Each structure stands twice: as structure tokens, then as C-alpha cells.
Amino acid sequence: MNKQERIQTIQTIRKRTKPARILSAVVTGGAFLAAHFFDQSIWSILVLICALAVSGVMLGRDSFEISRLSDSTRAKRLIRLRSIMGFGIISLMLLLIVTTELRDDTDMALLYVAGFMLIGIVIEIVLEYRIHRADPEQPMSKEYR
């Protein structure tokens, strides 16, 4: 399968899973806002953790389908690692923000956001480069977004 066919296949996968991804993002965002603004923090944190777990499963399925397009086992592992790292960084950032907000330490929450965004960008760039080296026919994420 050449690069253009892979781009078409990935776009089809993303169109098919778009409603579920949007719903997952809305539930995760709602749980985050509930944990942030309401006093019933334990329940909202549990809902946030459940929403993050559902998001992780959906992201794992997407990355598995995208990784199946490559013939290189190294590229497949790196594609899955990219999604796991992205999910992990977002999850840790949200949970740390919630816990710092519960302690009324807003300055640390802003520092967490900035730090995790920087780490996420660096990891994404490094993994994209390594995926491209492992399988030059695998499209980069900017080519199918």
C-alpha cells in the first residue's frame, strides 16, 4: 500500500470514529469541569478517570488500525507508542490539574499545563521522525489531519 492509499485509509478510519471521539472528549471535559467547579470532587474525579479510560481504549483501537497499515514492526510499535504517550500526557496533566485545584494551588496548575504541553510536543516530533525512518511510506500525522 502506497502513501496516498494509506492517507485515504487513515482518513476513513478517523471519519468513522469521529462521533465516538467527540463524545469521549465532551464527557472527559464535562468531568474535568465538574471536578474543577463543584464540591463533589470524589465523584467527579471518578467520572473523569472512567472517561479517560474510555478515551484510552478508543485511542488504542485507532492506533492499532493505523499501525496495521505498516509492514514494519518497528513502525507499528512506534505508532502505538505515540498514541499511548499522547494519552498518558493528557491524562496526567488533567489529573494533576484537578489535584492542584483541590489544594487551591492555581499557579502550579498553569505550570503543569505549560510543562506537559512542551513535553507532548517534543515527544510527538521525536516519534514522528522515528516512525518516518522506520517506514518512509507511513504518512506523518500532519498529512492526514
Side-chain angles (χ1 to χ4, degrees):
M1 185 178 287
N2 67 18
K3 194 172 196 174
Q4 202 58 30
E5 291 171 338
R6 289 182 188 189
I7 290 172
Q8 292 296 324
T9 304
I10 292 171
Q11 287 175 341
T12 303
I13 291 168
R14 292 179 62 88
K15 281 181 188 174
R16 187 180 70 233
T17 60
K18 187 175 185 174
R21 287 185 288 127
I22 290 172
L23 180 63
S24 173
V26 168
V27 171
T28 303
F32 175 74
L33 290 175
H36 182 70
F37 289 115
F38 298 120
D39 292 333
Q40 300 166 343
S41 59
I42 290 296
W43 293 109
S44 55
I45 289 175
L46 290 176
V47 171
L48 177 63
I49 290 171
C50 290
L52 287 173
V54 170
S55 297
V57 169
M58 289 175 30
L59 189 61
R61 286 182 183 168
D62 283 353
S63 69
F64 179 74
E65 288 187 39
I66 292 172
S67 70
R68 287 187 346 179
L69 300 175
S70 178
D71 295 330
S72 167
T73 57
R74 179 179 164 97
K76 288 179 182 189
R77 279 184 290 180
L78 288 170
I79 290 168
R80 288 188 210 121
L81 179 64
R82 179 180 61 191
S83 67
I84 290 168
M85 292 300 291
F87 171 73
I89 287 173
I90 290 170
S91 300
L92 279 175
M93 180 179 68
L94 288 176
L95 291 174
L96 284 172
I97 288 171
V98 168
T99 56
T100 55
E101 289 294 325
L102 292 175
R103 294 188 322 234
D104 290 329
D105 195 6
T106 308
D107 294 337
M108 284 303 293
L110 295 174
L111 195 63
Y112 286 143
V113 170
F116 278 109
M117 285 178 67
L118 182 63
I119 290 169
I121 290 169
V122 169
I123 288 174
E124 178 77 18
I125 290 170
V126 169
L127 288 175
E128 283 281 333
Y129 173 73
R130 288 187 177 177
I131 290 169
H132 187 67
R133 272 194 4 215
D135 185 4
E137 286 296 312
Q138 184 68 25
M140 299 179 107
S141 60
K142 67 181 177 184
E143 293 176 327
Y144 58 80
R145 285 192 179 153

